[in-house]
Amino acid sequence: MVDAASLTQPALWPLTMIVFLPALVAAFLSLPIVPRGRDEFIRWTTLLTCAAVFVLSLWMAWPQLFGATGPAQFRLGEPGMQAVVKLPWIEAFGIEYLLGVDGISMPLVVLTTFLSMLAAAASWPITKHVKAYHVLFLLLVTGMLGVFVSLDFFLFYVFWEVMLLPMYFLIGIWGGPRREYAAIKFFLYTLLGSVLMLLAILMLYFTSDLRQLSSEQLIASHVVSPGLDAAGQTEAVRLIKDEKSPVHTFNLLALAQIGQLPNSPFAAAEVWGMSLEKWAFLLLLIGFVIKVPVVPVHTWLPDAHVEAPTPISMILAGVLLKLGGYGILRICYPICPGAGLAFAWLVCGLGVVSMVYGAFAALAQKDFKRMVAYSSVSHMGYVMLGLGVWSAVAGHEYRWDAWAQGVNGAMFQMLAHGISSAGMFFMVGVLYDRVHHRNIEEFGGIFNRMPVYSGLAIAVFFAGLGLPGLCGFIGEVLVTLSSWNYSRLLAVISAFTVILTAAYILWAIQRVYLGAEYKGPHGDHLTAITPRELAIATPLVFFAILFGVAPQLLFNYVTPTVNRQVETLADWTRRVHDAAGAVAVAADESTDRAR
Amino acid sequence: MNQAAAAASSNMGIVISDTLADTLAVSVPLFRPELCLSATIVLLLLCRILPVLRHVESAVIALGGVCFAAWYAWCDLRGLPLGELASGRQELFTGLLAFDSLTAYIRLLLMGFLALYIVFTRVSGIPDREDGADFYTLVLGATLGMCLMASANHLLMLFMAVEMASVPSYALAGLLKGRKASSEAAIKYAVYGAGAAGVMLYGLSLLAGVLGTCHLPSMAIELARVTQVGPASGSVMVLSLGGLMVAVGLAFKLSAVPFHFWCPDVFEGAAAEVGGFLSVASKAAAVALLLRLAFSLGVPLVDSAVGQSGAAQSAMTALADSRHFMVYLIGLMAAVTCTLGNLAAYGQTNMKRLLAYSTIAHAGYLMMGVAAAVAMAGVTPSGSRDAVTAVAFYLGTYVFMNLGAFAIVAFLRNTLRSEEISAYAGLVRTSPGIVVAMAVVLVSLIGLPPLAGFVSKFLIFSSLVEAVSAGAERPLMLLLLVIGGINTVVSLFYYLRVLKVMTFDPPGEERVSQAFPLVSLPGAVATGLVVPVVIFGIFWSGLYACAQLAGGFAF
């Protein structure tokens, strides 16, 4: 049961408020006491809520800014989980309200709160059913933040699914002409992925056994709270060890520890002739790559992005796509390292295929927003490649620094893409709000009419292009470099994709912004950028430049955690590889002797 | 001669006094909920006769009686011995009925449902003042039969209980007098039901004939003996045939494919209120009966007092074939039922018909849980207990999900005068509250978190995975898992279509734009039914603990 001591955990209220404050405000807004007509009030409440959550997340992530550092705040350079919150939830299944942040999730949390603040500001042009829109928007924010901070697989799944329904309605009610089709397609793809994920979760749960872990591992994975005194810890560990039947767990950290054991039960169990580890990895991977999205399952994305209203496109591209990459990094690899090693070619291959396919598809688009959507597919391919090369460099050399480079690059690419793609969608939205069409062929000459806007837009598009000095560059270059060690072919292809990227972005810029004069419809509506739009665009451009010149601002957060995870897995690979080698050598010797 | 007669009569006296003592001391106290219901029925009928009592509202009497019954049912559940291995099993009325944790749980569930149901029907106004007494008499009578279904321990009682639950239901289906569709529904239901009952009775007689007894636990012992000795050539055939025929009767009550044809027609023809009753109460009782029958014939009762663990073990092994047969029968039927229900629901335009197919699909999910429970019974009793718990939990949440759905349909019918899905077009503009309530219910039926339907589905799937990892009937359990997963995705289509019509579509022109305010009596009832769906989706420990009590019934 919940006792008083567990309610005094330092991070309990900060983390809980970050996740649930939007949902609480949504509940308040949906009450009948808020009349439906008071649109301005609802908009401001939503914006202020998102701003408050952003400040709160910043307070956690960057304590120096606020002076004092408390126990709930993030300590740079520490690789492990921080600010862990642990409350019992469903004791019959060992499900816990387990939250925490580390170097991987903290920047993503800040990115999410930042983008949702900007998206809330970008929601002013929404005039249809304002109240319902903002309620759903806030619920969506809660779902996204919950996924990034939850460390319990069940809780993770709940948040993962909570995002679906608001997104369905946001696209389906406030979207473009083909919104119903796009909304149901989005929902179906994601639900299919999440049902597969649920099966994998259950498989892992019923195969896991906490008794296999040492007491240090139990404490490190927060199964036994490190906050207890020594006697309490010993007692808790003894209780687990004394159980007669297996003690299953949903704790992601503990599952990772179990998955990396030399005698991992996930690798031992078999279903239909393949180890359970591989099944779980594949099922989870399908669930996550649908969100990323990767080429064979990407088709929901262009539809959803194009039909969704501008702020929702920003959230979709900026945050939702990152959930897939985050899931692969946080769940697939640590829990199923053996399968990760075996399927590295698959992950890398999918990454490269979507990189190239997305770029070519973007080249062919006539619709400006669709082009940006395909550029997301292409850019997220780099993330997949960066994550994939990770376990791959396992021949005879254990170059974990090269893997770490790839994963760090992928993480950086996710954050950078969060900024640049949200920016690109916003820029497209600004144009669409004025001229109500997105046909690239009919644009041209925007620079003359809206110089400030065009300057900012070109900066954002260059960031997406990966121009050195802007944020898109760092991630792509790191991923390409690290993939050289894995497969030269893939490295060469991904380097060439940069040219394709440059082609479609430069061509689009030329057709939309440059040119003599605008000849398309509604030319007289091309008014200068408004202060509100400027207030959204400027921070995006600012960060696109800042992270391009000072990438260490992000790497300071990301690298310690990523490096430790990669190092652990490199050790794991070495151990497994050496053990396999020893067996092979022993087998050779015995055959020699037989001769 | 005289002495012998005297001895016989004194023996007779002992038997009578023993029976009397047993009945009064053991059976009657554990039979109080049913007695309460019976008394209420009598009272309802009396009120019609006496002119003085004519003006007493029958819903009030019914509600009062049900509250008493619910209180006793709650006491019975509370009085159960706690602990994992105790089912608190007692045989009542010389073995005709069994009282154990499953009985107690299902009975409480039915009584709780009935209380909600009476409030809901009173508000929705489907039994008008004239019909009230008839309606509530029928509902209470059917529920009485369902309680007996949940506790039947003897083939005779089993059949009686099924009929007792069915016959009032036939009359309920024809409640809307003067409406052709309603009468048609009633006659269809009755004919179909009579056919199924006949087949089931024949099957029961085959089973009883081969095994020489009607008492379920004795049948299991006899079955084990027959299997161990090596069955006579024909008897396996007869037993399987008997099992299949009994399955027909149960499948009819569960509305499982291929005996589901009555369900959409009856639901469409009858009032939404009746549909709600049939889809929830009838299903709960049928699932309980399925569990009891399957476990009685698949798992020998362990008499811990005698301590024949060796004998029990060998009987357990001997019944493996029987369990295997039942698992495949239930499992395959579950797979087909679930798939067909979901696929057929896709094309429906009438809301009640859609809910009928959804009911069929959910019967499939429930049967998957039953199949997993029986499959694991011989391999891992704790896993089997978890599976029964999952089924019991599912039934608990199903009360709110489905009754909520039917209640909203009924209230919307009162407002819109239509039950077609197309009539709901653009409803969100006039009555957003009820649309949110409907969304909660439908999304819960899809099985998305954080709603109760998700937890239920999660538990069913987890018991299937547990069966797979325990190696119990692995291929079938894997198949069910895959089919269950695919069905969840398929079901998304038609549930969402209703929401899509309510929210995305513009309102139809011919419809009188009448608002359904949430701040009203019907609104309050709908909210009261929907809020638990959310609560049990987030804080489900309490309900799970209750369901766990039921889960231990067979061990």
Side-chain angles (χ1 to χ4, degrees):
Chain A
M1 276 276 88
V2 180
D3 52 3
S6 57
L7 289 179
T8 56
Q9 301 175 73
L12 175 63
W13 293 112
L15 266 185
T16 305
M17 285 320 278
I18 287 180
V19 176
F20 287 105
L21 184 67
L24 279 179
V25 176
F28 163 73
L29 285 182
S30 62
L31 290 178
I33 52 168
V34 180
R36 271 201 267 176
R38 302 194 47 193
D39 293 351
E40 280 298 306
F41 170 74
I42 293 169
R43 285 179 184 135
W44 276 107
T45 313
T46 309
L47 179 60
L48 289 178
T49 308
C50 290
V53 174
F54 173 62
V55 170
L56 204 55
S57 67
L58 212 57
W59 174 82
M60 277 195 77
W62 193 6
Q64 291 79 4
L65 193 65
F66 296 83
T69 47
Q73 284 159 301
F74 196 81
R75 290 174 300 282
L76 270 186
E78 200 179 298
M81 269 303 155
Q82 306 185 29
V84 174
V85 175
K86 178 181 157 83
L87 286 179
W89 183 13
I90 310 292
E91 281 167 355
F93 281 79
I95 299 172
E96 286 172 328
Y97 178 67
L98 188 66
L99 310 179
V101 285
D102 64 0
I104 298 175
S105 50
M106 192 75 244
L108 287 166
V109 167
V110 179
L111 175 77
T112 308
T113 55
F114 174 65
L115 285 182
S116 35
M117 183 173 70
L118 295 187
S123 301
W124 248 261
I126 303 276
T127 49
K128 195 166 108 184
H129 311 302
V130 174
K131 181 170 166 173
Y133 173 88
H134 285 92
V135 167
L136 290 168
F137 178 82
L138 287 168
L139 287 178
L140 178 70
V141 173
T142 286
M144 294 185 305
L145 288 168
V147 170
F148 284 130
V149 298
S150 48
L151 296 178
D152 183 286
F153 218 159
F154 187 88
L155 189 65
F156 177 92
Y157 186 79
V158 168
F159 281 124
W160 183 272
E161 297 278 272
V162 161
M163 291 180 305
L164 290 187
L165 209 62
M167 193 47 113
Y168 170 74
F169 284 113
L170 285 170
I171 299 174
I173 299 179
W174 290 273
R178 286 170 71 234
R179 52 180 180 258
E180 286 175 19
Y181 171 76
I184 190 80
K185 197 168 173 184
F186 162 80
F187 206 149
L188 262 183
Y189 268 75
T190 325
L191 187 69
L192 179 69
S194 37
V195 166
L196 297 180
M197 192 162 49
L198 181 63
L199 297 187
I201 293 175
L202 288 170
M203 281 178 171
L204 290 173
Y205 173 75
F206 279 106
T207 327
S208 64
D209 188 355
L210 283 178
R211 294 176 304 170
Q212 292 182 320
L213 294 180
S214 69
S215 55
E216 294 77 38
Q217 286 172 317
L218 286 173
I219 294 169
S221 56
H222 292 272
V223 172
V224 173
S225 175
L228 292 172
D229 55 358
Q233 287 181 351
T234 329
E235 174 65 14
V237 170
R238 195 184 57 76
L239 277 179
I240 292 172
K241 295 277 182 190
D242 285 357
E243 283 284 333
K244 285 187 187 59
S245 47
V247 188
H248 305 313
T249 184
F250 281 112
N251 182 320
L252 284 174
L253 304 172
L255 284 173
Q257 299 271 21
I258 294 172
Q260 293 168 18
L261 285 174
N263 51 343
S264 153
F266 305 147
E270 277 212 353
V271 181
W272 278 331
M274 195 160 83
S275 75
L276 186 134
E277 189 180 34
K278 291 188 180 174
W279 276 112
F281 183 87
L282 284 180
L283 292 174
L284 290 170
L285 189 71
I286 297 174
F288 291 135
V289 297
I290 287 178
K291 263 286 198 302
V292 167
V294 148
V295 151
V297 287
H298 71 289
T299 56
W300 65 268
L301 179 127
D303 288 312
H305 274 64
V306 170
E307 300 307 323
T310 305
I312 302 308
S313 294
M314 289 168 69
I315 292 282
L316 258 175
V319 184
L320 250 72
L321 307 191
K322 311 301 167 296
L323 293 166
Y326 172 76
I328 294 173
L329 185 56
R330 164 81 75 223
I331 293 171
C332 281
Y333 282 109
I335 296 179
C336 313
L341 185 62
F343 292 124
W345 55 271
L346 178 70
V347 179
C348 290
L350 285 174
V352 170
V353 168
S354 38
M355 203 187 280
V356 176
Y357 180 90
F360 273 117
L363 262 178
Q365 297 310 316
K366 297 260 181 292
D367 185 321
F368 199 11
K369 208 172 178 186
R370 225 178 162 81
M371 186 217 87
V372 176
Y374 274 109
S375 85
S376 283
V377 176
S378 177
H379 281 132
M380 291 307 284
Y382 283 97
V383 174
M384 289 295 287
L385 181 62
L387 295 176
V389 292
W390 159 329
S391 39
V393 195
H396 293 287
E397 276 181 83
Y398 297 99
R399 295 280 311 277
W400 73 265
D401 50 336
W403 314 1
Q405 196 182 28
V407 181
N408 280 317
M411 264 307 291
F412 195 93
Q413 173 76 354
M414 286 210 273
L415 296 165
H417 180 253
I419 292 169
S420 66
S421 69
M424 288 195 275
F425 276 113
F426 179 70
M427 296 305 177
V428 176
V430 168
L431 268 190
Y432 182 76
D433 283 344
R434 287 173 172 65
V435 296
H436 299 286
H437 79 93
R438 290 187 301 256
N439 188 353
I440 300 184
E441 307 289 345
E442 291 187 76
F443 283 114
I446 302 289
F447 198 94
N448 295 337
R449 305 287 295 270
M450 307 168 67
V452 180
Y453 158 76
S454 302
L456 292 170
I458 290 172
V460 165
F461 277 95
F462 276 146
L465 187 156
L467 200 70
L470 294 171
C471 66
F473 174 69
I474 315 284
E476 289 180 12
V477 87
L478 283 182
V479 168
T480 310
L481 284 180
S482 78
S483 64
W484 181 259
N485 279 325
Y486 172 56
S487 153
R488 309 210 161 162
L489 178 68
L490 294 185
V492 169
I493 298 177
S494 63
F496 269 103
T497 310
V498 175
I499 300 178
L500 288 176
T501 314
Y504 66 74
I505 286 192
L506 288 177
W507 194 26
I509 289 177
Q510 182 202 332
R511 284 182 293 173
V512 174
Y513 295 105
L514 308 181
E517 62 173 320
Y518 178 76
K519 293 193 183 105
H522 305 292
D524 45 337
H525 292 182
L526 279 173
T527 48
I529 189 164
T530 65
R532 185 184 58 78
E533 288 165 341
L534 203 61
I536 299 166
T538 318
L540 286 169
V541 174
F542 172 72
F543 283 113
I545 298 170
L546 180 68
F547 294 138
V549 260
Q552 66 275 17
L553 287 177
L554 289 180
F555 280 132
N556 284 345
Y557 286 89
V558 173
T559 313
T561 307
V562 165
N563 281 5
R564 198 186 66 164
Q565 182 166 333
V566 171
E567 207 178 334
T568 318
L569 285 168
D571 277 346
W572 178 88
T573 322
R574 183 176 303 146
R575 210 169 53 217
V576 170
H577 199 269
D578 289 352
V583 171
V585 168
D588 283 350
E589 280 173 2
S590 64
T591 45
D592 286 349
R593 227 173 288 136
R595 273 188 210 136
Chain B
M1 186 74 187
N2 262 348
Q3 271 179 354
S9 77
S10 83
N11 276 346
M12 201 61 177
I14 290 169
V15 167
I16 290 174
S17 68
D18 275 2
T19 314
L20 203 64
D22 179 63
T23 305
L24 291 180
V26 180
S27 304
V28 170
L30 290 174
F31 199 59
R32 282 175 304 190
E34 283 90 340
L35 289 178
C36 274
L37 283 188
S38 312
T40 315
I41 293 173
V42 173
L43 200 63
L44 278 171
L45 294 175
L46 271 181
C47 285
R48 283 207 114 167
I49 300 170
L50 298 178
V52 194
L53 296 175
R54 272 268 169 90
H55 300 287
V56 183
E57 184 115 28
S58 41
V60 174
I61 301 173
L63 188 61
V66 168
C67 283
F68 269 111
W71 167 249
Y72 283 127
W74 170 241
C75 290
D76 287 345
L77 191 71
R78 284 272 305 278
L80 282 172
L82 286 172
E84 287 207 324
L85 286 169
S87 66
R89 184 184 161 90
Q90 273 177 323
E91 295 206 332
L92 311 185
F93 302 112
T94 65
L96 283 176
L97 296 178
F99 172 84
D100 55 21
S101 51
L102 183 70
T103 313
Y105 179 82
I106 297 289
R107 213 156 56 176
L108 180 61
L109 193 81
L110 286 171
M111 295 308 152
F113 164 77
L114 209 51
L116 292 173
Y117 184 72
I118 292 170
V119 174
F120 149 56
T121 46
R122 174 69 193 74
V123 172
S124 85
I126 220 28
D128 50 27
R129 225 182 152 72
E130 279 299 293
D131 284 339
D134 295 343
F135 180 79
Y136 291 116
T137 310
L138 289 171
V139 166
L140 262 57
T143 313
L144 185 58
M146 289 166 192
C147 288
L148 295 178
M149 272 166 84
S151 51
N153 195 36
H154 192 277
L155 291 186
L156 200 61
M157 207 56 220
L158 187 157
F159 185 73
M160 299 261 290
V162 169
E163 286 308 290
M164 176 122 194
S166 299
V167 174
S169 309
Y170 304 150
L172 279 176
L175 185 75
L176 299 173
K177 286 174 296 207
R179 269 194 55 191
K180 236 179 169 176
S182 181
S183 315
E184 189 191 321
I187 195 85
K188 243 181 206 163
Y189 195 15
V191 170
Y192 217 102
V199 174
M200 178 157 92
L201 189 60
Y202 194 73
L204 291 175
S205 72
L206 287 183
L207 289 184
V210 173
L211 298 175
T213 171
C214 286
H215 182 235
L216 286 175
S218 317
M219 284 172 72
I221 293 167
E222 188 64 19
L223 193 61
R225 200 185 59 75
V226 170
T227 331
Q228 269 165 336
V229 171
S233 55
S235 69
V236 170
M237 183 73 183
V238 177
L239 281 172
S240 330
L241 200 63
L244 283 176
M245 287 176 156
V246 175
V248 170
L250 285 178
F252 165 75
K253 290 304 291 175
L254 276 168
S255 66
V257 175
F259 305 99
H260 68 287
F261 293 106
W262 60 273
C263 185
D265 291 343
V266 170
F267 278 32
E268 189 184 6
E273 284 81 350
V274 176
F277 180 73
L278 293 180
S279 85
V280 179
S282 194
K283 179 120 340 140
V287 169
L289 180 59
L290 183 67
L291 274 173
R292 185 167 301 284
L293 198 64
F295 272 85
S296 297
L297 296 182
V299 181
L301 273 178
V302 186
D303 197 347
S304 54
V306 188
Q308 304 164 307
S309 63
Q313 198 55 49
S314 69
M316 195 77 185
T317 337
L319 288 176
D321 284 342
S322 149
R323 284 197 300 273
H324 183 70
F325 174 73
M326 287 189 291
V327 168
Y328 267 80
L329 185 61
I330 300 171
L332 292 178
M333 211 183 245
V336 177
T337 304
C338 197
T339 313
L340 214 98
N342 277 325
L343 289 182
Y346 186 53
Q348 303 308 320
T349 55
N350 180 292
M351 192 60 202
K352 285 192 298 189
R353 248 186 124 77
L354 183 134
L355 283 176
Y357 281 109
S358 135
T359 302
I360 294 172
H362 281 272
Y365 294 122
L366 281 163
M367 285 164 75
M368 285 182 190
V370 177
V374 180
M376 279 189 282
V379 185
T380 147
S382 75
S384 177
R385 211 159 42 225
D386 288 347
V388 178
T389 308
V391 173
F393 186 92
Y394 203 125
L395 289 174
T397 56
Y398 196 66
V399 168
F400 295 101
M401 290 195 284
N402 240 30
L403 189 60
F406 277 101
I408 294 171
V409 171
F411 293 142
L412 284 180
R413 173 206 59 208
N414 290 351
T415 321
L416 306 174
R417 302 276 146 218
S418 171
E419 285 157 339
E420 296 298 316
I421 296 173
S422 54
Y424 297 160
L427 198 66
V428 75
R429 286 168 185 72
T430 49
S431 350
I434 202 76
V435 172
V436 171
M438 192 67 158
V440 169
V441 166
L442 292 180
V443 172
S444 172
L445 285 170
I446 300 174
L448 291 184
L451 301 171
F454 163 69
V455 181
S456 308
K457 226 171 228 178
F458 167 79
L459 291 174
I460 295 281
F461 286 177
S462 74
S463 55
L464 288 172
V465 172
E466 203 173 356
V468 170
S469 62
E473 307 282 358
R474 209 164 182 184
L476 181 71
M477 292 300 135
L478 270 175
L479 178 78
L480 289 182
L481 199 58
V482 172
I483 289 185
I486 294 173
N487 268 298
T488 304
V489 180
V490 170
S491 71
L492 177 76
F493 268 118
Y494 63 88
Y495 289 122
L496 268 191
R497 194 161 52 88
V498 179
L499 291 184
K500 184 198 83 114
V501 170
M502 284 179 154
T503 52
F504 299 0
D505 289 2
E509 284 177 8
E510 73 279 12
R511 182 164 58 83
V512 246
S513 70
Q514 252 179 318
F516 180 91
L518 208 58
V519 190
S520 62
L521 199 53
V525 171
T527 315
L529 287 170
V530 166
V531 166
V533 174
V534 182
I535 291 179
F536 287 139
I538 302 173
F539 304 104
W540 43 282
S541 280
L543 183 61
Y544 190 78
C546 281
Q548 261 181 326
L549 279 178
F553 87 102
F555 298 97

